[in-house]
Amino acid sequence: MESIATRALAARKFAKMTQKQAEAASGVKQSSISKIERGDVSRSMSVLALARAYRADPHWLDTGDGPAPWDEDQIRQARDKANEPPGPYRVTHIAPLIPSFSPRTPGTVPLISWADAANWDSHEVSQQPRAERWIPCIAHHSLQSYALRVRGDSMTASSGHLKSYPAESIVFVDTSLRKPEDGERIIAKLEDSGEVTFKVYKEDDGRRWLLPLNPKHEPVREAFTVLGTIVGKWEDED
């Protein structure tokens, strides 16, 4: 579907909602819904709220990329590999305006600190740390997922042929995925120092290590525990 107006109308119809019902479900005024469906696309926060109400992929509603509400779940194949296996991975190059959602709103994950990631316990929801905010996750994910802001430049690739993760981009971490394949991007906890780090998981002939994408940084060869696998990211457009 070529336009956001067409997608917004189709998603509402598929959800079997009138504009008035969509207003009640999303908090977006009926007049704004009508404008969006006529082609006024200047309301990014409204679009995200409508995606949640229609149970639609917010990235699909905003850009047309990704599964429509009536499609079977689709898996985007990872591209630009550095010994990276195909897998479920979603990327948007321009981070949408991020409204604050209520905790545990369906389709959202908490944006947490690195210190809290070290002690994250996905099985004790009541004990989870306070999030900076809850944001819509652009990838298929389990309920045991969170988001982190990337620190430093160790995962900034020197070549455009690799997925790159510049500082301040946001990565989505699924903590139910703790058995990565060679080449997958992970969050890990170093056993000696307790430091939490973001690196490429490498495994060969029974040996495991952590590889940065930036060649200025050295591989990490000390023991570590996998805390979760990266399933998607947001980053600002260069």
Side-chain angles (χ1 to χ4, degrees):
M1 293 186 178
E2 295 183 357
S3 72
I4 191 171
T6 303
R7 291 190 297 274
L9 176 60
R12 178 173 63 79
K13 294 293 186 181
F14 185 77
K16 294 182 170 58
M17 289 185 182
T18 64
Q19 288 186 352
K20 199 65 179 176
Q21 290 170 328
E23 177 184 44
S26 66
V28 179
K29 291 184 178 180
Q30 183 178 357
S31 59
S32 295
I33 295 173
S34 178
K35 288 180 180 179
I36 290 171
E37 291 180 0
R38 293 200 308 267
D40 183 345
V41 296
S42 62
R43 295 169 172 79
S44 295
M45 291 178 65
S46 296
V47 170
L48 286 173
L50 289 174
R52 178 163 55 96
Y54 300 154
R55 297 187 179 277
D57 182 334
H59 193 56
W60 170 83
L61 187 58
D62 189 33
T63 69
D65 185 23
W70 46 85
D71 291 340
E72 294 182 1
D73 287 347
Q74 298 177 7
I75 294 179
R76 173 181 295 181
Q77 298 298 308
R79 294 177 297 175
D80 301 330
K81 298 178 185 177
N83 294 326
E84 181 177 22
Y89 192 89
R90 292 292 306 281
V91 180
T92 180
H93 289 291
I94 305 175
L97 295 176
I98 306 173
S100 263
F101 288 95
S102 299
R104 286 173 286 281
T105 298
T108 68
V109 298
L111 178 60
I112 67 172
S113 70
W114 284 82
D116 287 334
N119 302 305
W120 179 265
D121 185 348
S122 61
H123 302 292
E124 296 290 342
V125 174
S126 63
Q127 301 300 317
Q128 288 177 0
R130 183 181 299 276
E132 176 183 332
R133 59 168 64 97
W134 284 71
I135 61 176
C137 182
I138 62 174
H140 296 294
H141 62 284
S142 76
L143 296 177
Q144 291 80 46
S145 301
Y146 57 76
L148 288 172
R149 291 187 187 278
V150 175
R151 307 180 295 187
D153 65 353
S154 70
M155 291 295 283
T156 302
S158 59
S159 168
H161 296 295
L162 299 174
K163 287 202 198 89
S164 186
Y165 308 81
E168 297 302 313
S169 58
I170 293 175
V171 292
F172 295 91
V173 185
D174 193 332
T175 65
S176 72
L177 304 176
R178 298 197 178 196
K179 295 181 178 180
E181 297 184 24
D182 178 76
E184 289 191 302
R185 280 60 169 153
I186 67 168
I187 301 298
K189 184 176 182 179
L190 305 185
E191 293 184 6
D192 289 343
S193 65
E195 177 188 356
V196 176
T197 187
F198 171 31
K199 295 290 186 291
V200 178
Y201 176 81
K202 297 298 296 178
E203 182 174 0
D204 182 49
D205 196 24
R207 295 178 295 114
R208 305 191 316 162
W209 69 98
L210 300 172
L211 182 70
L213 292 178
N214 188 334
K216 295 179 181 178
H217 293 257
E218 294 293 325
V220 178
R221 300 190 182 277
E222 64 183 274
F224 61 89
T225 300
V226 177
L227 299 182
T229 300
I230 307 302
V231 294
K233 73 168 179 175
W234 282 344
E235 72 172 59
D236 292 330
E237 188 174 46
D238 294 334

